[in-house]
Amino acid sequence: MHPVRSRIRPRAAAVVAALAALLLAPLPAAQRAEAAATLTNTGFESDATGTAAPAGWSTYSAAGQNAASFTEAGGHGGGYRLSHWASTAYKVETYQYLSGLANGTYTLSAWVRSGGGQNSAYLALRNCGSAEQRTDLPVTSSWIRIVTPITVTGGACTISVNSDANAGNWINVDDLTFTSGTTGLTVKGVDLSALKKSEDLGGTYKSSSGTTGDAVALLKGAGANYGRLKVWVNPADGYNDKARVLATARKIKAQGMKLLVDFHYSDIWADPGAQTKPAAWAGHSYSQLKTDVYNHTYDVLNALKAQGTTADMVQIGNEIDTGMLWPEGSTSNWTQLAGLLKSGVSAAKAVSSSTQIALHLAHGGDNALYRTWFDNATAQGVTYDVIALSFYGYWHGALSSLQTNLDDISARYGKKVMVAETAYPFRLDSEDAHENIIDLPSELVAGYPASSAGQSAWLRDVMNVVEAVPNGRGLGVVYWEPAWTAVTGNGWDPADPASGNGWENQALFDYDSKLLPAAAWLAHR
């Protein structure tokens, strides 16, 4: 929503006395409030509409554009909000300086909205005695909470809202808090399931500067600390079976990364629309299927352990919104589905009691789905450690819906939550003859173009939403198939070598095989 476009007259700020030396260097056209030890006027309710320097806050614009920062009606939790907007290009900062703080870790939280299009729009914590920390505002018409952590070492800190914007760009900020504690992501992962086949068929990978290197090492160097591998039972091409998973797991662990193993319990793709039993299990009874799940899970995980690459996390099923091993394990029979899940969990824990168990659904913005599904899992006594979600914005809704769901289910079930799959295109055209899954402008998420910048912003903003989950329950994010480039023979269908790849425009390597800028967000704090 665009802010009110009335002419705003800046109001004179309070005079800074003894604390002036501790504030940002005085500059012409700056408006300042006095420093305090507690963040004040956090909801911008102390002033009427049109205030260019809200009580307790200061503004600065090198070009004298203080009026681009103002308060107006339409707050998140109250009647008013802070907005940045101007009819011409502008740069403005709204800030508050705190002093007399106890040294330690702090986290700034704020509810934000943005129409996008800025050169930059972000919250910052600076002059705190440690490296400046920033969190960019997502493109969203709905309010989203973002956080920024900092370590204060000098007893002071500046809380800052910044815009470097083009004409007509806008942001809204409201309901800030600055409290003890820190945030960050434990899992910054990449799904490398297609990598082994790609390499065997001649696929190559390069650094951003064009130097050929190992894909796992390049992604680790960018910041990835987890590798995810899917497991099929008897796939037609032999890839993603136990032997190939073992081989890639060795590469992942050799880079010092952790391992997430994703059991599909199928010979081919398992997702909400298809949970086909492996051919070898097709005629088995429900009782035998429980044994099959246990034996297969134990066999793969024990082999990983035996070679020194124990799984750190295991998914019992992939996108099992509708269950697994149809029809016996469908959600239409929760008692049987629970029995299959328990078999997988038991096998994983028998191999390694420290391995984390994740249950994974798609449609990460659908809170009703997650409540229904996990209420049933709880009622059936299924034990697990992590709720994993797939969240693709072009299919699964707005970032605000993801946040609502993450916040709710993490609290409702007392579990860590993570986005186990996300991705975004850096272009729309195909490198091979196969049509890309996302290849039309109409399929994109508003505010996120199919460009290197758009891909980077998407990954950044999904990570920021997960980081903001309360009580440290936001575990992390896994980027899906960043190394699945257009290598002949490495297509969608394991039974058809001629099948193409519809994903190369969402990889983290471009059509020249160079690492894309979005990969740098894997180094998220």
Side-chain angles (χ1 to χ4, degrees), residues 90-126:
Y90 63 93
K91 293 183 182 180
V92 71
E93 175 188 14
T94 310
Y95 65 94
Q96 192 169 148
Y97 182 81
L98 302 182
S99 63
L101 296 170
N103 290 338
T105 58
Y106 291 84
T107 295
L108 174 69
S109 174
W111 288 90
V112 302
R113 302 193 301 186
S114 172
Q118 299 92 344
N119 299 314
S120 62
Y122 59 91
L123 304 183
L125 296 174
R126 55 171 67 107

PDB file of all heavy atoms in Angstrom, residues 90-126:
ATOM      1  N   TYR A  90      15.130   9.374  -3.441  1.00  0.00           N
ATOM      2  CA  TYR A  90      15.503   9.901  -2.129  1.00  0.00           C
ATOM      3  C   TYR A  90      16.380   8.909  -1.372  1.00  0.00           C
ATOM      4  O   TYR A  90      16.381   7.703  -1.632  1.00  0.00           O
ATOM      5  CB  TYR A  90      14.249  10.204  -1.292  1.00  0.00           C
ATOM      6  CG  TYR A  90      13.402   8.993  -0.960  1.00  0.00           C
ATOM      7  CD1 TYR A  90      13.583   8.297   0.233  1.00  0.00           C
ATOM      8  CD2 TYR A  90      12.415   8.544  -1.838  1.00  0.00           C
ATOM      9  CE1 TYR A  90      12.810   7.195   0.547  1.00  0.00           C
ATOM     10  CE2 TYR A  90      11.638   7.436  -1.541  1.00  0.00           C
ATOM     11  CZ  TYR A  90      11.828   6.767  -0.348  1.00  0.00           C
ATOM     12  OH  TYR A  90      11.073   5.657  -0.041  1.00  0.00           O
ATOM     13  N   LYS A  91      17.131   9.472  -0.401  1.00  0.00           N
ATOM     14  CA  LYS A  91      17.882   8.693   0.576  1.00  0.00           C
ATOM     15  C   LYS A  91      17.579   9.286   1.939  1.00  0.00           C
ATOM     16  O   LYS A  91      17.746  10.489   2.144  1.00  0.00           O
ATOM     17  CB  LYS A  91      19.387   8.758   0.309  1.00  0.00           C
ATOM     18  CG  LYS A  91      19.845   8.074  -0.973  1.00  0.00           C
ATOM     19  CD  LYS A  91      21.366   8.146  -1.094  1.00  0.00           C
ATOM     20  CE  LYS A  91      21.847   7.506  -2.386  1.00  0.00           C
ATOM     21  NZ  LYS A  91      23.347   7.573  -2.502  1.00  0.00           N
ATOM     22  N   VAL A  92      17.134   8.437   2.855  1.00  0.00           N
ATOM     23  CA  VAL A  92      16.791   8.936   4.178  1.00  0.00           C
ATOM     24  C   VAL A  92      17.020   7.846   5.217  1.00  0.00           C
ATOM     25  O   VAL A  92      16.902   6.650   4.922  1.00  0.00           O
ATOM     26  CB  VAL A  92      15.331   9.438   4.218  1.00  0.00           C
ATOM     27  CG1 VAL A  92      14.345   8.279   4.153  1.00  0.00           C
ATOM     28  CG2 VAL A  92      15.076  10.307   5.435  1.00  0.00           C
ATOM     29  N   GLU A  93      17.366   8.283   6.419  1.00  0.00           N
ATOM     30  CA  GLU A  93      17.559   7.377   7.555  1.00  0.00           C
ATOM     31  C   GLU A  93      16.744   7.889   8.729  1.00  0.00           C
ATOM     32  O   GLU A  93      16.737   9.089   9.024  1.00  0.00           O
ATOM     33  CB  GLU A  93      19.038   7.314   7.948  1.00  0.00           C
ATOM     34  CG  GLU A  93      19.304   6.485   9.200  1.00  0.00           C
ATOM     35  CD  GLU A  93      20.741   6.586   9.677  1.00  0.00           C
ATOM     36  OE1 GLU A  93      21.476   7.493   9.216  1.00  0.00           O
ATOM     37  OE2 GLU A  93      21.135   5.772  10.537  1.00  0.00           O
ATOM     38  N   THR A  94      16.044   6.990   9.389  1.00  0.00           N
ATOM     39  CA  THR A  94      15.358   7.286  10.642  1.00  0.00           C
ATOM     40  C   THR A  94      16.032   6.444  11.713  1.00  0.00           C
ATOM     41  O   THR A  94      16.130   5.228  11.557  1.00  0.00           O
ATOM     42  CB  THR A  94      13.869   6.925  10.559  1.00  0.00           C
ATOM     43  OG1 THR A  94      13.299   7.505   9.374  1.00  0.00           O
ATOM     44  CG2 THR A  94      13.117   7.417  11.786  1.00  0.00           C
ATOM     45  N   TYR A  95      16.524   7.077  12.789  1.00  0.00           N
ATOM     46  CA  TYR A  95      17.337   6.307  13.719  1.00  0.00           C
ATOM     47  C   TYR A  95      17.096   6.738  15.157  1.00  0.00           C
ATOM     48  O   TYR A  95      16.553   7.804  15.444  1.00  0.00           O
ATOM     49  CB  TYR A  95      18.824   6.427  13.362  1.00  0.00           C
ATOM     50  CG  TYR A  95      19.395   7.820  13.507  1.00  0.00           C
ATOM     51  CD1 TYR A  95      20.025   8.228  14.680  1.00  0.00           C
ATOM     52  CD2 TYR A  95      19.315   8.740  12.448  1.00  0.00           C
ATOM     53  CE1 TYR A  95      20.554   9.504  14.816  1.00  0.00           C
ATOM     54  CE2 TYR A  95      19.847  10.010  12.568  1.00  0.00           C
ATOM     55  CZ  TYR A  95      20.460  10.397  13.751  1.00  0.00           C
ATOM     56  OH  TYR A  95      20.979  11.656  13.883  1.00  0.00           O
ATOM     57  N   GLN A  96      17.524   5.875  16.047  1.00  0.00           N
ATOM     58  CA  GLN A  96      17.461   6.152  17.474  1.00  0.00           C
ATOM     59  C   GLN A  96      18.734   5.599  18.111  1.00  0.00           C
ATOM     60  O   GLN A  96      19.097   4.444  17.869  1.00  0.00           O
ATOM     61  CB  GLN A  96      16.223   5.496  18.089  1.00  0.00           C
ATOM     62  CG  GLN A  96      15.935   5.968  19.508  1.00  0.00           C
ATOM     63  CD  GLN A  96      14.576   5.542  20.027  1.00  0.00           C
ATOM     64  OE1 GLN A  96      14.422   5.318  21.224  1.00  0.00           O
ATOM     65  NE2 GLN A  96      13.584   5.448  19.147  1.00  0.00           N
ATOM     66  N   TYR A  97      19.386   6.435  18.896  1.00  0.00           N
ATOM     67  CA  TYR A  97      20.660   6.062  19.515  1.00  0.00           C
ATOM     68  C   TYR A  97      20.424   5.681  20.970  1.00  0.00           C
ATOM     69  O   TYR A  97      19.799   6.437  21.719  1.00  0.00           O
ATOM     70  CB  TYR A  97      21.642   7.222  19.427  1.00  0.00           C
ATOM     71  CG  TYR A  97      23.002   6.921  19.997  1.00  0.00           C
ATOM     72  CD1 TYR A  97      23.934   6.226  19.239  1.00  0.00           C
ATOM     73  CD2 TYR A  97      23.349   7.327  21.279  1.00  0.00           C
ATOM     74  CE1 TYR A  97      25.187   5.945  19.763  1.00  0.00           C
ATOM     75  CE2 TYR A  97      24.587   7.057  21.808  1.00  0.00           C
ATOM     76  CZ  TYR A  97      25.508   6.359  21.042  1.00  0.00           C
ATOM     77  OH  TYR A  97      26.746   6.082  21.553  1.00  0.00           O
ATOM     78  N   LEU A  98      20.911   4.493  21.350  1.00  0.00           N
ATOM     79  CA  LEU A  98      20.782   4.038  22.729  1.00  0.00           C
ATOM     80  C   LEU A  98      22.145   4.038  23.398  1.00  0.00           C
ATOM     81  O   LEU A  98      23.142   3.633  22.786  1.00  0.00           O
ATOM     82  CB  LEU A  98      20.200   2.623  22.772  1.00  0.00           C
ATOM     83  CG  LEU A  98      18.833   2.407  22.123  1.00  0.00           C
ATOM     84  CD1 LEU A  98      18.387   0.964  22.299  1.00  0.00           C
ATOM     85  CD2 LEU A  98      17.798   3.365  22.683  1.00  0.00           C
ATOM     86  N   SER A  99      22.193   4.491  24.644  1.00  0.00           N
ATOM     87  CA  SER A  99      23.419   4.443  25.423  1.00  0.00           C
ATOM     88  C   SER A  99      23.097   3.882  26.804  1.00  0.00           C
ATOM     89  O   SER A  99      21.929   3.739  27.172  1.00  0.00           O
ATOM     90  CB  SER A  99      24.050   5.827  25.539  1.00  0.00           C
ATOM     91  OG  SER A  99      23.181   6.699  26.248  1.00  0.00           O
ATOM     92  N   GLY A 100      24.145   3.545  27.539  1.00  0.00           N
ATOM     93  CA  GLY A 100      23.940   2.969  28.858  1.00  0.00           C
ATOM     94  C   GLY A 100      23.462   1.538  28.819  1.00  0.00           C
ATOM     95  O   GLY A 100      22.872   1.038  29.788  1.00  0.00           O
ATOM     96  N   LEU A 101      23.711   0.852  27.696  1.00  0.00           N
ATOM     97  CA  LEU A 101      23.307  -0.551  27.565  1.00  0.00           C
ATOM     98  C   LEU A 101      24.307  -1.463  28.270  1.00  0.00           C
ATOM     99  O   LEU A 101      25.520  -1.216  28.256  1.00  0.00           O
ATOM    100  CB  LEU A 101      23.241  -0.951  26.090  1.00  0.00           C
ATOM    101  CG  LEU A 101      22.208  -0.246  25.216  1.00  0.00           C
ATOM    102  CD1 LEU A 101      22.456  -0.589  23.751  1.00  0.00           C
ATOM    103  CD2 LEU A 101      20.796  -0.642  25.624  1.00  0.00           C
ATOM    104  N   ALA A 102      23.826  -2.545  28.846  1.00  0.00           N
ATOM    105  CA  ALA A 102      24.717  -3.591  29.334  1.00  0.00           C
ATOM    106  C   ALA A 102      25.292  -4.318  28.114  1.00  0.00           C
ATOM    107  O   ALA A 102      24.576  -4.587  27.147  1.00  0.00           O
ATOM    108  CB  ALA A 102      23.951  -4.576  30.213  1.00  0.00           C
ATOM    109  N   ASN A 103      26.563  -4.610  28.117  1.00  0.00           N
ATOM    110  CA  ASN A 103      27.160  -5.327  27.000  1.00  0.00           C
ATOM    111  C   ASN A 103      26.588  -6.739  26.906  1.00  0.00           C
ATOM    112  O   ASN A 103      26.255  -7.357  27.910  1.00  0.00           O
ATOM    113  CB  ASN A 103      28.681  -5.384  27.144  1.00  0.00           C
ATOM    114  CG  ASN A 103      29.333  -4.027  26.933  1.00  0.00           C
ATOM    115  OD1 ASN A 103      28.756  -3.146  26.298  1.00  0.00           O
ATOM    116  ND2 ASN A 103      30.534  -3.850  27.468  1.00  0.00           N
ATOM    117  N   GLY A 104      26.474  -7.226  25.688  1.00  0.00           N
ATOM    118  CA  GLY A 104      25.919  -8.558  25.449  1.00  0.00           C
ATOM    119  C   GLY A 104      25.219  -8.607  24.113  1.00  0.00           C
ATOM    120  O   GLY A 104      25.364  -7.709  23.277  1.00  0.00           O
ATOM    121  N   THR A 105      24.448  -9.659  23.901  1.00  0.00           N
ATOM    122  CA  THR A 105      23.736  -9.826  22.632  1.00  0.00           C
ATOM    123  C   THR A 105      22.339  -9.238  22.723  1.00  0.00           C
ATOM    124  O   THR A 105      21.668  -9.339  23.748  1.00  0.00           O
ATOM    125  CB  THR A 105      23.644 -11.312  22.242  1.00  0.00           C
ATOM    126  OG1 THR A 105      22.973 -12.036  23.295  1.00  0.00           O
ATOM    127  CG2 THR A 105      25.026 -11.899  22.010  1.00  0.00           C
ATOM    128  N   TYR A 106      21.912  -8.638  21.619  1.00  0.00           N
ATOM    129  CA  TYR A 106      20.588  -8.041  21.511  1.00  0.00           C
ATOM    130  C   TYR A 106      19.992  -8.380  20.146  1.00  0.00           C
ATOM    131  O   TYR A 106      20.731  -8.634  19.187  1.00  0.00           O
ATOM    132  CB  TYR A 106      20.650  -6.518  21.654  1.00  0.00           C
ATOM    133  CG  TYR A 106      21.020  -6.037  23.036  1.00  0.00           C
ATOM    134  CD1 TYR A 106      22.362  -5.954  23.425  1.00  0.00           C
ATOM    135  CD2 TYR A 106      20.038  -5.655  23.946  1.00  0.00           C
ATOM    136  CE1 TYR A 106      22.709  -5.501  24.697  1.00  0.00           C
ATOM    137  CE2 TYR A 106      20.381  -5.197  25.218  1.00  0.00           C
ATOM    138  CZ  TYR A 106      21.723  -5.126  25.583  1.00  0.00           C
ATOM    139  OH  TYR A 106      22.062  -4.683  26.832  1.00  0.00           O
ATOM    140  N   THR A 107      18.675  -8.326  20.088  1.00  0.00           N
ATOM    141  CA  THR A 107      17.990  -8.529  18.809  1.00  0.00           C
ATOM    142  C   THR A 107      16.954  -7.443  18.604  1.00  0.00           C
ATOM    143  O   THR A 107      16.111  -7.197  19.478  1.00  0.00           O
ATOM    144  CB  THR A 107      17.309  -9.913  18.751  1.00  0.00           C
ATOM    145  OG1 THR A 107      18.308 -10.934  18.791  1.00  0.00           O
ATOM    146  CG2 THR A 107      16.500 -10.067  17.466  1.00  0.00           C
ATOM    147  N   LEU A 108      17.042  -6.803  17.451  1.00  0.00           N
ATOM    148  CA  LEU A 108      16.017  -5.863  17.018  1.00  0.00           C
ATOM    149  C   LEU A 108      14.956  -6.623  16.245  1.00  0.00           C
ATOM    150  O   LEU A 108      15.267  -7.415  15.360  1.00  0.00           O
ATOM    151  CB  LEU A 108      16.634  -4.792  16.106  1.00  0.00           C
ATOM    152  CG  LEU A 108      15.658  -3.816  15.450  1.00  0.00           C
ATOM    153  CD1 LEU A 108      15.032  -2.894  16.484  1.00  0.00           C
ATOM    154  CD2 LEU A 108      16.365  -3.013  14.357  1.00  0.00           C
ATOM    155  N   SER A 109      13.708  -6.400  16.575  1.00  0.00           N
ATOM    156  CA  SER A 109      12.577  -6.988  15.848  1.00  0.00           C
ATOM    157  C   SER A 109      11.688  -5.858  15.373  1.00  0.00           C
ATOM    158  O   SER A 109      11.499  -4.860  16.084  1.00  0.00           O
ATOM    159  CB  SER A 109      11.792  -7.931  16.761  1.00  0.00           C
ATOM    160  OG  SER A 109      10.619  -8.406  16.121  1.00  0.00           O
ATOM    161  N   ALA A 110      11.136  -5.994  14.166  1.00  0.00           N
ATOM    162  CA  ALA A 110      10.246  -4.962  13.640  1.00  0.00           C
ATOM    163  C   ALA A 110       9.276  -5.581  12.656  1.00  0.00           C
ATOM    164  O   ALA A 110       9.600  -6.568  11.973  1.00  0.00           O
ATOM    165  CB  ALA A 110      11.043  -3.856  12.955  1.00  0.00           C
ATOM    166  N   TRP A 111       8.103  -5.003  12.585  1.00  0.00           N
ATOM    167  CA  TRP A 111       7.119  -5.384  11.568  1.00  0.00           C
ATOM    168  C   TRP A 111       7.278  -4.429  10.388  1.00  0.00           C
ATOM    169  O   TRP A 111       7.338  -3.213  10.576  1.00  0.00           O
ATOM    170  CB  TRP A 111       5.706  -5.313  12.130  1.00  0.00           C
ATOM    171  CG  TRP A 111       5.443  -6.425  13.088  1.00  0.00           C
ATOM    172  CD1 TRP A 111       5.651  -6.419  14.441  1.00  0.00           C
ATOM    173  CD2 TRP A 111       4.938  -7.720  12.766  1.00  0.00           C
ATOM    174  NE1 TRP A 111       5.314  -7.626  14.980  1.00  0.00           N
ATOM    175  CE2 TRP A 111       4.869  -8.447  13.993  1.00  0.00           C
ATOM    176  CE3 TRP A 111       4.530  -8.342  11.581  1.00  0.00           C
ATOM    177  CZ2 TRP A 111       4.398  -9.766  14.048  1.00  0.00           C
ATOM    178  CZ3 TRP A 111       4.074  -9.655  11.634  1.00  0.00           C
ATOM    179  CH2 TRP A 111       4.007 -10.356  12.847  1.00  0.00           C
ATOM    180  N   VAL A 112       7.359  -4.975   9.185  1.00  0.00           N
ATOM    181  CA  VAL A 112       7.690  -4.158   8.018  1.00  0.00           C
ATOM    182  C   VAL A 112       6.836  -4.526   6.813  1.00  0.00           C
ATOM    183  O   VAL A 112       6.273  -5.619   6.726  1.00  0.00           O
ATOM    184  CB  VAL A 112       9.194  -4.320   7.647  1.00  0.00           C
ATOM    185  CG1 VAL A 112      10.094  -3.931   8.821  1.00  0.00           C
ATOM    186  CG2 VAL A 112       9.503  -5.753   7.202  1.00  0.00           C
ATOM    187  N   ARG A 113       6.785  -3.593   5.883  1.00  0.00           N
ATOM    188  CA  ARG A 113       6.212  -3.814   4.553  1.00  0.00           C
ATOM    189  C   ARG A 113       7.036  -3.000   3.562  1.00  0.00           C
ATOM    190  O   ARG A 113       7.660  -2.005   3.928  1.00  0.00           O
ATOM    191  CB  ARG A 113       4.749  -3.364   4.474  1.00  0.00           C
ATOM    192  CG  ARG A 113       3.838  -4.054   5.466  1.00  0.00           C
ATOM    193  CD  ARG A 113       2.371  -3.836   5.175  1.00  0.00           C
ATOM    194  NE  ARG A 113       1.991  -2.424   5.167  1.00  0.00           N
ATOM    195  CZ  ARG A 113       0.742  -1.997   5.044  1.00  0.00           C
ATOM    196  NH1 ARG A 113      -0.252  -2.864   4.894  1.00  0.00           N
ATOM    197  NH2 ARG A 113       0.463  -0.713   5.053  1.00  0.00           N
ATOM    198  N   SER A 114       7.011  -3.415   2.315  1.00  0.00           N
ATOM    199  CA  SER A 114       7.743  -2.663   1.294  1.00  0.00           C
ATOM    200  C   SER A 114       7.155  -2.958  -0.075  1.00  0.00           C
ATOM    201  O   SER A 114       6.814  -4.104  -0.392  1.00  0.00           O
ATOM    202  CB  SER A 114       9.228  -3.045   1.307  1.00  0.00           C
ATOM    203  OG  SER A 114       9.910  -2.466   0.208  1.00  0.00           O
ATOM    204  N   GLY A 115       7.084  -1.913  -0.884  1.00  0.00           N
ATOM    205  CA  GLY A 115       6.646  -2.087  -2.263  1.00  0.00           C
ATOM    206  C   GLY A 115       7.757  -2.534  -3.192  1.00  0.00           C
ATOM    207  O   GLY A 115       7.515  -2.866  -4.346  1.00  0.00           O
ATOM    208  N   GLY A 116       9.000  -2.542  -2.683  1.00  0.00           N
ATOM    209  CA  GLY A 116      10.138  -2.970  -3.492  1.00  0.00           C
ATOM    210  C   GLY A 116      10.596  -1.889  -4.452  1.00  0.00           C
ATOM    211  O   GLY A 116      10.036  -0.789  -4.527  1.00  0.00           O
ATOM    212  N   GLY A 117      11.648  -2.207  -5.201  1.00  0.00           N
ATOM    213  CA  GLY A 117      12.173  -1.306  -6.208  1.00  0.00           C
ATOM    214  C   GLY A 117      13.293  -0.407  -5.738  1.00  0.00           C
ATOM    215  O   GLY A 117      13.913   0.304  -6.543  1.00  0.00           O
ATOM    216  N   GLN A 118      13.593  -0.410  -4.443  1.00  0.00           N
ATOM    217  CA  GLN A 118      14.633   0.463  -3.911  1.00  0.00           C
ATOM    218  C   GLN A 118      16.032  -0.055  -4.304  1.00  0.00           C
ATOM    219  O   GLN A 118      16.220  -1.235  -4.584  1.00  0.00           O
ATOM    220  CB  GLN A 118      14.562   0.529  -2.378  1.00  0.00           C
ATOM    221  CG  GLN A 118      13.282   1.084  -1.814  1.00  0.00           C
ATOM    222  CD  GLN A 118      12.252   0.007  -1.513  1.00  0.00           C
ATOM    223  OE1 GLN A 118      12.358  -1.132  -1.979  1.00  0.00           O
ATOM    224  NE2 GLN A 118      11.231   0.359  -0.742  1.00  0.00           N
ATOM    225  N   ASN A 119      16.995   0.829  -4.275  1.00  0.00           N
ATOM    226  CA  ASN A 119      18.388   0.390  -4.358  1.00  0.00           C
ATOM    227  C   ASN A 119      18.747  -0.385  -3.095  1.00  0.00           C
ATOM    228  O   ASN A 119      19.470  -1.380  -3.147  1.00  0.00           O
ATOM    229  CB  ASN A 119      19.317   1.591  -4.526  1.00  0.00           C
ATOM    230  CG  ASN A 119      19.029   2.358  -5.802  1.00  0.00           C
ATOM    231  OD1 ASN A 119      18.875   1.772  -6.871  1.00  0.00           O
ATOM    232  ND2 ASN A 119      18.933   3.672  -5.688  1.00  0.00           N
ATOM    233  N   SER A 120      18.208   0.057  -1.951  1.00  0.00           N
ATOM    234  CA  SER A 120      18.314  -0.680  -0.703  1.00  0.00           C
ATOM    235  C   SER A 120      17.260  -0.164   0.259  1.00  0.00           C
ATOM    236  O   SER A 120      16.890   1.010   0.227  1.00  0.00           O
ATOM    237  CB  SER A 120      19.717  -0.552  -0.083  1.00  0.00           C
ATOM    238  OG  SER A 120      20.008   0.803   0.233  1.00  0.00           O
ATOM    239  N   ALA A 121      16.759  -1.066   1.085  1.00  0.00           N
ATOM    240  CA  ALA A 121      15.814  -0.717   2.145  1.00  0.00           C
ATOM    241  C   ALA A 121      16.043  -1.733   3.250  1.00  0.00           C
ATOM    242  O   ALA A 121      15.836  -2.932   3.045  1.00  0.00           O
ATOM    243  CB  ALA A 121      14.376  -0.766   1.640  1.00  0.00           C
ATOM    244  N   TYR A 122      16.498  -1.273   4.418  1.00  0.00           N
ATOM    245  CA  TYR A 122      16.926  -2.236   5.416  1.00  0.00           C
ATOM    246  C   TYR A 122      16.892  -1.638   6.814  1.00  0.00           C
ATOM    247  O   TYR A 122      16.890  -0.421   7.003  1.00  0.00           O
ATOM    248  CB  TYR A 122      18.343  -2.732   5.105  1.00  0.00           C
ATOM    249  CG  TYR A 122      19.401  -1.646   5.046  1.00  0.00           C
ATOM    250  CD1 TYR A 122      20.125  -1.282   6.179  1.00  0.00           C
ATOM    251  CD2 TYR A 122      19.672  -0.968   3.853  1.00  0.00           C
ATOM    252  CE1 TYR A 122      21.087  -0.283   6.132  1.00  0.00           C
ATOM    253  CE2 TYR A 122      20.635   0.033   3.792  1.00  0.00           C
ATOM    254  CZ  TYR A 122      21.339   0.371   4.939  1.00  0.00           C
ATOM    255  OH  TYR A 122      22.289   1.365   4.879  1.00  0.00           O
ATOM    256  N   LEU A 123      16.874  -2.526   7.797  1.00  0.00           N
ATOM    257  CA  LEU A 123      17.118  -2.168   9.181  1.00  0.00           C
ATOM    258  C   LEU A 123      18.595  -2.396   9.460  1.00  0.00           C
ATOM    259  O   LEU A 123      19.194  -3.329   8.925  1.00  0.00           O
ATOM    260  CB  LEU A 123      16.294  -3.040  10.127  1.00  0.00           C
ATOM    261  CG  LEU A 123      14.780  -3.073   9.927  1.00  0.00           C
ATOM    262  CD1 LEU A 123      14.145  -3.944  11.010  1.00  0.00           C
ATOM    263  CD2 LEU A 123      14.189  -1.673   9.947  1.00  0.00           C
ATOM    264  N   ALA A 124      19.181  -1.579  10.305  1.00  0.00           N
ATOM    265  CA  ALA A 124      20.593  -1.736  10.634  1.00  0.00           C
ATOM    266  C   ALA A 124      20.812  -1.493  12.115  1.00  0.00           C
ATOM    267  O   ALA A 124      20.104  -0.701  12.747  1.00  0.00           O
ATOM    268  CB  ALA A 124      21.451  -0.778   9.821  1.00  0.00           C
ATOM    269  N   LEU A 125      21.798  -2.189  12.652  1.00  0.00           N
ATOM    270  CA  LEU A 125      22.314  -1.928  13.987  1.00  0.00           C
ATOM    271  C   LEU A 125      23.777  -1.579  13.814  1.00  0.00           C
ATOM    272  O   LEU A 125      24.571  -2.398  13.336  1.00  0.00           O
ATOM    273  CB  LEU A 125      22.144  -3.157  14.885  1.00  0.00           C
ATOM    274  CG  LEU A 125      20.693  -3.566  15.161  1.00  0.00           C
ATOM    275  CD1 LEU A 125      20.643  -4.874  15.927  1.00  0.00           C
ATOM    276  CD2 LEU A 125      19.961  -2.468  15.937  1.00  0.00           C
ATOM    277  N   ARG A 126      24.142  -0.357  14.190  1.00  0.00           N
ATOM    278  CA  ARG A 126      25.509   0.112  13.980  1.00  0.00           C
ATOM    279  C   ARG A 126      25.992   0.891  15.201  1.00  0.00           C
ATOM    280  O   ARG A 126      25.217   1.200  16.101  1.00  0.00           O
ATOM    281  CB  ARG A 126      25.584   0.976  12.725  1.00  0.00           C
ATOM    282  CG  ARG A 126      24.626   2.139  12.684  1.00  0.00           C
ATOM    283  CD  ARG A 126      24.923   3.063  11.494  1.00  0.00           C
ATOM    284  NE  ARG A 126      24.652   2.423  10.222  1.00  0.00           N
ATOM    285  CZ  ARG A 126      23.623   2.718   9.437  1.00  0.00           C
ATOM    286  NH1 ARG A 126      22.764   3.647   9.817  1.00  0.00           N
ATOM    287  NH2 ARG A 126      23.451   2.110   8.298  1.00  0.00           N
TER     288      ARG A 126
END
